[in-house]
Amino acid sequence: MPVRRIVISNTDGVYECFPCLTLTRAGTLITVYRESDSHTAAAFSHLVLRRSTDQGETWSERQVLAESVQRDGVLHKWNCPRIGQLDDGRLWVLCDGYNVPPGEARTVDSRVHFWWSDDDGLTWSGPEATSIFGIVPDKLVVTNRGTWLVAAHIHETRHGFIVQFVFRSEDQGRTWEPIVVCDQEGLNPCEAGIVQLPDDGTLVCYMRENSGRGWPGPKCLSHDDGRTWQGPYLTDIIGCHRPVVGLLPSGNIMVTHRHTCRGRIGSARNFFAYRESPDSARCTDPSQGGGIILPLDHDRWEAPDQGYSGWAVLPDGRLLVVNYIRDDGPMAQIRGYFLSEQDF
């Protein structure tokens, strides 16, 4: 069947962006995203949630999770939120936050915060600051050994390139150990998404390469529960920005991502999904792996901005992807995409 698109939210005068999505055990879909005045955010930066109880067909009014407005020339900017649920039923939202100015030029100043809900997202506590530094965090990944992982990246002044970290906790988030995933001069790995392969426990970390040359997104592998990482290795995901990764019911891996051609202004128009097998995901020789690309959307706006996303598997086996996109309006909106694995 063709991919079906819906508008989840399109609010006049508000730049709605960077959504994430989860399906709760109670069957509620919850998306979290940022409201701001622009992509960079200078005047205000709010985090809001919307809920759906009919598998994404209709959505509730916005629920404000956090608000921040500029005061005395400084905005505490909430950046890229993520959402999920633990095995004990608690829902979490995490988001990086930092002051603007100085902004992303000082990524080590950013801290990841958590919010928590025990009632299917109706009420929330937080924000709780952590020692996790860096920007654009991944979802909280809980490994099959119970270890908590959150990826985030920084701009490293030592050599002028980006370094991808994962923060590892063996005490359910009370303390976090920073571990380097990828630090290589000449390479700018960032915006990681991590998935654990169910058969052998291998952790695969997909990353954006931010040199503006349209290079494939690199990946790194861990075989010891995230303590050490090997790579980087090339993937088939050309021009990959903001990979969001997870397991499909078939056991295959899906990565939603923005596609950018050699960093040209206005080139980030296309939003794709990529599917590959576990064998391809763990493969270190790109000639022995490979996947399938499925186009999801195209941004027609003269200055396109889109492709930071989230997705969930619905109870009937379909997939719902959320994305932000400018397309037919000056401010960004939140869209949903219904598809199935057979569409690949």
Side-chain angles (χ1 to χ4, degrees), residues 200-274:
D200 64 0
T202 298
L203 292 163
V204 186
C205 179
Y206 297 82
M207 292 165 282
R208 164 178 176 169
E209 205 298 305
N210 204 40
S211 297
R213 301 179 184 180
W215 289 344
K219 67 182 177 185
C220 288
L221 307 178
S222 175
H223 303 288
D224 57 5
D225 204 42
R227 293 181 179 88
T228 62
W229 295 82
Q230 294 79 50
Y233 309 106
L234 291 179
T235 72
D236 262 3
I237 314 176
I238 306 299
C240 174
H241 284 198
R242 187 47 154 163
V244 176
V245 58
L247 291 173
L248 297 170
S250 66
N252 288 319
I253 292 91
M254 187 171 82
V255 183
T256 53
H257 64 96
R258 179 172 76 190
H259 174 260
T260 299
C261 304
R262 290 183 290 174
R264 292 178 179 173
I265 296 174
S267 71
R269 293 188 178 277
N270 293 308
F271 179 50
F272 293 157
Y274 171 82

Side-chain angles (χ1 to χ4, degrees), residues 20-22 82-86 90-93 124 139:
C20 191
L21 181 70
T22 197
R82 309 305 304 272
I83 188 170
Q85 189 169 31
L86 296 176
R90 287 182 296 164
L91 287 169
W92 53 262
V93 168
W124 295 83
K139 279 193 169 189

Side-chain angles (χ1 to χ4, degrees), residues 70 80 121 170 172 234 277 281 290 292 342:
Q70 184 193 98
C80 291
E170 295 185 349
Q172 298 188 331
L234 291 179
S277 69
I292 301 173
Q342 288 68 42

